[in-house]
Amino acid sequence: PHALSEWVPNYLQGVLEQRVGERGTNLRELAGLAASLEDLIDKEAIGRLETAYEVHNLPRDRPITPDQAEEVLRTYYVNFLIAGNFSADSRWEAVQKTKRFASRYTGWDAADNWLHGLLQPRITGKTAFDFAETTRMVEDIGEEYYKFNDMECLELKSTLRGMEGKKPGRVRLAHFYSKSLYSHWRFTEKADYLRVLGALDESEPQSPQVIVSNYIMARPNCLEASHLYAICCRNECEDMMGHLETNIGSATAPPKRIAELVAALPSQSDTASAPRTLSGALLSRLDQVAASNGGVVPLHG
């Protein structure tokens, strides 16, 4: 089943590409692909919840107590954090494995507090939960977890930014490795692997450096929560570009309008908070691009 789940998204993409050829796709076809993936993700989550019910010997056709609901949802959550690789033959074994996982999982307290905060409003005041209600809660876990992941990513970014050398956005490889000795971050990727990830700057061969932005968004920092998708650190540049697209509402814009929007862009970054002052060089570059495009700047291309 795991191999099939990993193959399905590629199959759906292949079918879409085969149908549309080189002409691209329209909104209807893209919505169909998204709906198919969403349905598969929901079915995977329900299947894992059913397994958790079986492990805890709970009935799916009758309501369960709040304590039982919390316990089975925590088992589901641990399974979620390790991409479905959790197995147990009894409630006792599941509880013991969950405790062992919690003791070894870096940042478990924060992850568990996030789960508690998500579930409490849904559990408080209720005396029983049917399977449909616990299903909605596991769907909430999948849909809301990115918010907790964003906090983890910001912490990782802050740690790496605190290690920067003279070159902005770069961390000396030796410093990168030494940090793992006295923090909970495991910066252990070898230089060859960092090179494959596109996260190694070797412009100075005697002093290779880790490229902070590329490392943060690299696959090793993603949570493989499903066999259908991974939860990765967001590209803040894409968020900013989306803000520009929404406010401009066109494929092009005058350089002055773009400069105004960029200066006021909202950002999670602690080094580029709005309002910001754009350098003369950047403003000049915008004017140069506009001069070559009839007085406007293309947002893409």
Side-chain angles (χ1 to χ4, degrees), residues 38-39 41-46 49 73 76 80 114 118-119 122 131-145 229:
E38 184 178 21
D39 184 57
I41 290 167
D42 287 344
K43 287 179 177 177
E44 181 186 55
I46 292 171
L49 181 60
L73 288 168
Y76 172 89
F80 175 86
W114 175 83
L118 179 73
L119 297 181
R122 296 157 174 80
F131 189 74
E133 289 173 307
T134 54
T135 295
R136 285 194 290 272
M137 284 189 271
V138 301
E139 290 174 348
D140 288 342
I141 290 173
E143 293 173 4
E144 298 291 325
Y145 186 82
Y229 67 92

Side-chain angles (χ1 to χ4, degrees), residues 158-169:
S158 178
T159 298
L160 290 169
R161 291 295 298 271
M163 298 159 58
E164 282 184 358
K166 295 181 180 179
K167 197 171 184 179

Side-chain angles (χ1 to χ4, degrees), residues 18-35:
Q18 186 177 20
R19 287 183 178 178
V20 303
E22 296 181 357
R23 68 173 173 79
T25 184
N26 59 37
L27 184 59
R28 181 187 180 88
E29 291 165 334
L30 193 59
L33 175 63

